[in-house]
Amino acid sequence: LSFLRVSAFPFANIVTFVRPHRKHHIKFSNDIRVQVEKAAIKAVSKLYRQRGYIIKDVQSNNLGWDLEASNGIHKLLLEVKGQSGLSPFIRISRNEYEKMNKNKDIYRLCIVMNAIEEPEIYVFINNNNNTWVLEDDGSIQLNIDEQVAAIATF
């Protein structure tokens, strides 16, 4: 998977907004975004149901994750990021990023590539070194580019 850069990174003391680089950002209509998000949620829900979890959709609660997965022993917090193609650039909101770091042991970042046509799910976990790696074998490490964002008006 050559499209993901692998590098180590320290978490900053300040929680910041993470966003893709502008040159890789492609704007889609809201209809397509909604379809991609629904398809990604459906794919991740199916994956975790197959793993024996009961899924609770909490998207509307603004908790910093989309789904809660429980199997009676473990409870996981699943943040789902859908992509219409194979671009590995995702946006993580300030709230999601804070919760991701606060709940490292039970938080899962689920990136669904090609969500509408043939979903490919990449689940990232924290490896206890403040590094987020592919759940299956740790072969891919997320490169998180922390950025400060602001909106100014007058």
Side-chain angles (χ1 to χ4, degrees), residues 24-139:
H24 299 290
H25 184 67
I26 300 171
K27 292 188 176 188
F28 292 102
S29 73
N30 278 342
D31 291 344
I32 292 173
R33 282 192 193 110
V34 169
Q35 289 175 17
V36 169
E37 184 69 15
K38 284 182 180 179
I41 291 287
K42 182 179 176 181
V44 170
S45 295
K46 180 180 177 182
L47 172 68
Y48 277 87
R49 280 190 187 101
Q50 289 172 343
R51 293 179 175 183
Y53 287 85
I54 296 170
I55 302 300
K56 179 179 179 185
D57 188 323
V58 295
Q59 293 177 82
S60 62
N61 298 350
N62 197 31
L63 298 172
W65 56 87
D66 297 315
L67 304 171
E68 293 179 355
S70 177
N71 66 3
I73 299 170
H74 299 102
K75 178 181 177 181
L76 301 175
L77 311 177
L78 311 175
E79 174 56 30
V80 179
K81 297 294 183 182
Q83 296 287 21
S84 60
L86 298 175
S87 171
F89 299 95
I90 61 166
R91 183 179 296 236
I92 302 171
S93 74
R94 171 180 236 128
N95 184 36
E96 293 163 353
Y97 193 59
E98 286 174 352
K99 300 309 187 299
M100 179 177 166
N101 289 306
K102 182 179 178 182
N103 301 291
K104 293 176 184 180
D105 294 340
I106 60 172
Y107 199 97
R108 302 293 183 267
L109 181 59
C110 307
I111 302 174
V112 183
M113 310 298 277
N114 203 22
I116 294 175
E117 294 177 19
E118 291 183 40
E120 293 180 37
I121 304 171
Y122 299 85
V123 179
F124 290 88
I125 61 172
N126 187 279
N127 72 354
N128 298 321
N129 291 326
N130 287 334
T131 303
W132 292 84
V133 297
L134 192 62
E135 176 184 58
D136 296 335
D137 59 8
S139 63

